[in-house]
Amino acid sequence: MAAVVGIQDLRRPALFAVQTLAVAACYFAAGRLGLVRQLVVQGAVVTPIWPPTGVAVACLLIFGLRSLLGITLGVLFVIMSITTLQPAVLGTLAGNTAAPVCAYLMLRRVGFRTDLSRLRDGVALVFLGALVSMLISATAGAGLLVLLDKLDASRFWPVWLAWWVGDAMGVLIVTPLLLLLHTARLPPRVARWKEASGLALIACGLVPLATYSGLSLLFLVYPLLILAALRFQLAGSILCALLASTAATIAATDQNGPFERLSHMEVMFKLQAFNGSMALTALLLSAVITEQRNTRRSVEKACQDLVEVLEHLTAGDSPRSPPPRDAEGLRHQQ
């Protein structure tokens, strides 16, 4: 018995170390992926979508606060891959760590469910997990640039806005995807795979057309997004949003299609408006559809249970026997 307890005590630190390194590696990989595409806003380099924030929020929601050390190490590794480690970097480190933790604490406070099966969960992730919490990292990052004289104070707000939207987009797109993978079930039936394959083919043809056409056809993505949400709920809508957002970001950073001949600020505003509205539509619409379907199943189940109870009660009642003829005749005579 003592040996078993000793082995378990040894496994716990080892498991924590493996989990911490895994979280740090995922954060670092997401950071390097986010740095592939960048925009220059008022002389500062920002990323339109910062996936590490989504990874950090998802890890906190799945593993809890024990993933905090891994997130901190991931932030440190990303910063070290960009610049040399200086005392001033601690501000960015603190801001990028505190923002996901704030998101986790607020979501936990309101009873957030990781399956995103209710509209209130989608609204909480949008406003608390993304828009409110990421104010911390944007303010810390842009404020630090001003304090270090790397950014003029008059240019603070455009850089702050781009930073904030980039971090929020990471939560809106990456966090639901990771939560979906965490709660993924067995593959659906073959008919659903055929339908999903057909929808994927349509998306692969329509999204490049919308994001690279000079006619500004970005609105064509929304009917596809709605169809994906109607047929596959969160799985369909968030994957469609991820594909469209990635294609739009590549087109914007290359200044192709609807982003051609625009200034850096115009590219940033147009791209962030498209990505933000698309992510909001995908997340909230899928949450509404899922909640309505769950409500309908609950009502159908309640009706079925009621029918079974009524059938059971009816089968248990013996039919009333008619009164004897003599008694009936005597009653009429009276």
Side-chain angles (χ1 to χ4, degrees), residues 39-205:
L39 289 175
V40 179
V41 179
Q42 298 292 334
V45 179
V46 296
T47 55
I49 301 175
W50 187 239
T53 57
V55 173
V57 174
C59 289
L60 287 167
L61 290 173
I62 295 173
F63 302 113
L65 289 176
R66 63 178 180 270
S67 60
L68 180 59
L69 179 58
I71 295 172
T72 305
L73 290 176
V75 176
L76 182 62
F77 293 157
V78 172
I79 294 175
M80 291 176 62
S81 67
I82 301 174
T83 182
T84 58
L85 192 59
Q86 302 173 358
V89 175
L90 296 177
T92 303
L93 177 65
N96 288 357
T97 304
V101 173
C102 180
Y104 165 73
L105 294 177
M106 287 194 296
L107 290 174
R108 185 179 178 183
R109 179 77 175 177
V110 298
F112 177 80
R113 295 181 183 176
T114 56
D115 57 359
L116 291 168
S117 59
R118 303 174 302 174
L119 177 60
R120 58 178 294 184
D121 297 326
V123 172
L125 183 62
V126 170
F127 289 98
L128 299 180
L131 300 183
V132 175
S133 301
M134 296 306 121
L135 294 172
I136 299 174
S137 57
T139 303
L144 187 62
L145 292 177
V146 174
L147 292 176
L148 296 177
D149 292 331
K150 294 183 178 180
L151 179 68
D152 189 73
S154 61
R155 300 177 179 179
F156 171 81
W157 290 111
V159 174
W160 176 89
L161 179 62
W163 198 310
W164 174 58
V165 175
D167 286 356
M169 284 301 304
V171 177
L172 292 178
I173 292 181
V174 178
T175 298
L177 180 61
L178 295 179
L179 294 178
L180 180 67
L181 293 175
H182 176 66
T183 58
R185 299 179 180 178
L186 295 175
R189 57 184 183 273
V190 178
R192 297 289 286 171
W193 278 113
K194 293 181 179 179
E195 184 180 3
S197 300
L199 185 62
L201 290 176
I202 296 175
C204 290

Side-chain angles (χ1 to χ4, degrees), residues 286-298:
S286 62
V288 170
I289 295 173
T290 302
E291 187 176 37
Q292 288 182 346
R293 292 197 173 192
N294 291 338
T295 302
R296 187 184 64 183
R297 292 192 187 101
S298 299

Side-chain angles (χ1 to χ4, degrees), residues 28-43:
F28 177 76
R32 297 306 302 175
L33 182 63
L35 292 171
V36 172
R37 293 289 171 171
Q38 300 175 346
L39 289 175
V40 179
V41 179
Q42 298 292 334

